[in-house]
Amino acid sequence: MIYFTVFALFAAFAAAEGQYSCAEKQSFHERKQQLPLLHFLSSLCVFCVAVEPQHYSYSPSVGSASGSEYSLTGTQRITAVRVWENYGGSIRGIQFRYGAVWSDVAGNTYGTLQEIELWDGESIVEVSGKYSYYLEYLIFTTNQGRFLHAGQPGGSSFNMYPSFEGAELVFISGRQNGAITSLGAHWAVVDPSAAEH
């Protein structure tokens, strides 16, 4: 994000520079009035480079990635997780509760329901499992050592966790086609003081 912002600002700076070179008939006074814009853009570039990066990371999605896209997001921390497993193994659906509000269901609610309610201060710090065409086995592990698992182990293994200390799972995205065909994990430090410990 920072690189994109810096690139965009440099492009604007270059466009403004080009405007000066093309405006040969423009008076010195008119050119001088445009200098504050260039000064502002260059200051903003320095500011963007100096800002510390956000404590966000992404674990790329695993699976066949067929079907329609989904994204489970909310405005608060994840407080509960539901997973529907098919008899025979595949993960049919996933749902998160953010605060007191349940998200939409990614996939569907067919099959056996597995659920975990997180304690105060508890968060998901690891997502692992197995996949083939569908997500076959899924484990959500918390910072308290508790976990929710669903499905049957079969296929290729995956293990997702945040890049920053104190980060937690904030949302997932992927694709579904009657069941979950791919899953990627998005991590962030929700409480900045957690990264200092």
Side-chain angles (χ1 to χ4, degrees), residues 21 59 75 79 86 104 113-114 125 145 185 195:
S21 62
S59 299
T75 58
T79 56
N86 189 25
D104 292 335
L113 172 65
Q114 304 292 337
V125 295

PDB file of all heavy atoms in Angstrom, residues 21 59 75 79 86 104 113-114 125 145 185 195:
ATOM      1  N   SER A  21       7.413  22.190 -17.964  1.00  0.00           N
ATOM      2  CA  SER A  21       8.251  22.220 -19.155  1.00  0.00           C
ATOM      3  C   SER A  21       7.440  22.510 -20.408  1.00  0.00           C
ATOM      4  O   SER A  21       7.950  23.048 -21.369  1.00  0.00           O
ATOM      5  CB  SER A  21       9.002  20.896 -19.310  1.00  0.00           C
ATOM      6  OG  SER A  21       8.077  19.858 -19.464  1.00  0.00           O
ATOM      7  N   SER A  59      -1.996 -14.810   4.480  1.00  0.00           N
ATOM      8  CA  SER A  59      -1.575 -16.172   4.147  1.00  0.00           C
ATOM      9  C   SER A  59      -2.317 -16.551   2.867  1.00  0.00           C
ATOM     10  O   SER A  59      -3.545 -16.653   2.869  1.00  0.00           O
ATOM     11  CB  SER A  59      -1.944 -17.145   5.264  1.00  0.00           C
ATOM     12  OG  SER A  59      -1.296 -16.802   6.467  1.00  0.00           O
ATOM     13  N   THR A  75     -16.775  -5.894  11.762  1.00  0.00           N
ATOM     14  CA  THR A  75     -16.215  -4.643  12.281  1.00  0.00           C
ATOM     15  C   THR A  75     -15.616  -4.790  13.672  1.00  0.00           C
ATOM     16  O   THR A  75     -15.039  -3.848  14.187  1.00  0.00           O
ATOM     17  CB  THR A  75     -17.296  -3.548  12.320  1.00  0.00           C
ATOM     18  OG1 THR A  75     -18.379  -4.003  13.146  1.00  0.00           O
ATOM     19  CG2 THR A  75     -17.819  -3.245  10.915  1.00  0.00           C
ATOM     20  N   THR A  79     -15.446 -13.582  17.697  1.00  0.00           N
ATOM     21  CA  THR A  79     -15.795 -14.083  19.028  1.00  0.00           C
ATOM     22  C   THR A  79     -16.312 -15.525  18.998  1.00  0.00           C
ATOM     23  O   THR A  79     -16.458 -16.141  20.054  1.00  0.00           O
ATOM     24  CB  THR A  79     -16.856 -13.180  19.689  1.00  0.00           C
ATOM     25  OG1 THR A  79     -17.994 -13.091  18.814  1.00  0.00           O
ATOM     26  CG2 THR A  79     -16.302 -11.783  19.950  1.00  0.00           C
ATOM     27  N   ASN A  86     -19.069 -32.087   5.917  1.00  0.00           N
ATOM     28  CA  ASN A  86     -19.825 -33.099   5.198  1.00  0.00           C
ATOM     29  C   ASN A  86     -19.429 -34.476   5.723  1.00  0.00           C
ATOM     30  O   ASN A  86     -18.270 -34.695   6.047  1.00  0.00           O
ATOM     31  CB  ASN A  86     -19.516 -32.990   3.701  1.00  0.00           C
ATOM     32  CG  ASN A  86     -20.418 -33.843   2.848  1.00  0.00           C
ATOM     33  OD1 ASN A  86     -21.531 -34.161   3.247  1.00  0.00           O
ATOM     34  ND2 ASN A  86     -19.939 -34.208   1.685  1.00  0.00           N
ATOM     35  N   ASP A 104     -22.242 -13.599   7.213  1.00  0.00           N
ATOM     36  CA  ASP A 104     -22.855 -14.516   6.261  1.00  0.00           C
ATOM     37  C   ASP A 104     -22.102 -15.845   6.341  1.00  0.00           C
ATOM     38  O   ASP A 104     -20.994 -15.905   6.878  1.00  0.00           O
ATOM     39  CB  ASP A 104     -22.755 -13.962   4.841  1.00  0.00           C
ATOM     40  CG  ASP A 104     -23.616 -12.717   4.646  1.00  0.00           C
ATOM     41  OD1 ASP A 104     -24.609 -12.550   5.388  1.00  0.00           O
ATOM     42  OD2 ASP A 104     -23.288 -11.916   3.759  1.00  0.00           O
ATOM     43  N   LEU A 113     -22.566 -29.556  12.214  1.00  0.00           N
ATOM     44  CA  LEU A 113     -22.048 -28.281  12.703  1.00  0.00           C
ATOM     45  C   LEU A 113     -21.034 -28.493  13.825  1.00  0.00           C
ATOM     46  O   LEU A 113     -21.294 -29.240  14.768  1.00  0.00           O
ATOM     47  CB  LEU A 113     -23.195 -27.404  13.221  1.00  0.00           C
ATOM     48  CG  LEU A 113     -22.807 -26.110  13.940  1.00  0.00           C
ATOM     49  CD1 LEU A 113     -22.111 -25.141  12.993  1.00  0.00           C
ATOM     50  CD2 LEU A 113     -24.042 -25.458  14.553  1.00  0.00           C
ATOM     51  N   GLN A 114     -19.885 -27.831  13.716  1.00  0.00           N
ATOM     52  CA  GLN A 114     -18.888 -27.749  14.788  1.00  0.00           C
ATOM     53  C   GLN A 114     -18.786 -26.270  15.156  1.00  0.00           C
ATOM     54  O   GLN A 114     -18.782 -25.419  14.267  1.00  0.00           O
ATOM     55  CB  GLN A 114     -17.528 -28.271  14.327  1.00  0.00           C
ATOM     56  CG  GLN A 114     -17.535 -29.677  13.789  1.00  0.00           C
ATOM     57  CD  GLN A 114     -17.832 -30.709  14.865  1.00  0.00           C
ATOM     58  OE1 GLN A 114     -17.639 -30.476  16.051  1.00  0.00           O
ATOM     59  NE2 GLN A 114     -18.313 -31.867  14.444  1.00  0.00           N
ATOM     60  N   VAL A 125      -5.028 -17.736  16.240  1.00  0.00           N
ATOM     61  CA  VAL A 125      -3.639 -17.424  15.874  1.00  0.00           C
ATOM     62  C   VAL A 125      -3.053 -18.413  14.866  1.00  0.00           C
ATOM     63  O   VAL A 125      -1.904 -18.261  14.455  1.00  0.00           O
ATOM     64  CB  VAL A 125      -2.733 -17.331  17.121  1.00  0.00           C
ATOM     65  CG1 VAL A 125      -3.151 -16.160  18.003  1.00  0.00           C
ATOM     66  CG2 VAL A 125      -2.753 -18.640  17.911  1.00  0.00           C
ATOM     67  N   GLY A 145      -4.598 -22.064  23.355  1.00  0.00           N
ATOM     68  CA  GLY A 145      -4.335 -23.479  23.150  1.00  0.00           C
ATOM     69  C   GLY A 145      -5.567 -24.306  22.827  1.00  0.00           C
ATOM     70  O   GLY A 145      -5.490 -25.521  22.686  1.00  0.00           O
ATOM     71  N   ALA A 185      -6.075 -16.585   4.669  1.00  0.00           N
ATOM     72  CA  ALA A 185      -6.261 -15.984   5.995  1.00  0.00           C
ATOM     73  C   ALA A 185      -5.638 -14.593   6.049  1.00  0.00           C
ATOM     74  O   ALA A 185      -4.529 -14.387   5.563  1.00  0.00           O
ATOM     75  CB  ALA A 185      -5.644 -16.878   7.065  1.00  0.00           C
ATOM     76  N   ALA A 195       1.230  -6.096  20.420  1.00  0.00           N
ATOM     77  CA  ALA A 195       2.472  -6.297  19.652  1.00  0.00           C
ATOM     78  C   ALA A 195       3.706  -5.909  20.470  1.00  0.00           C
ATOM     79  O   ALA A 195       4.818  -6.254  20.127  1.00  0.00           O
ATOM     80  CB  ALA A 195       2.435  -5.471  18.373  1.00  0.00           C
TER      81      ALA A 195
END
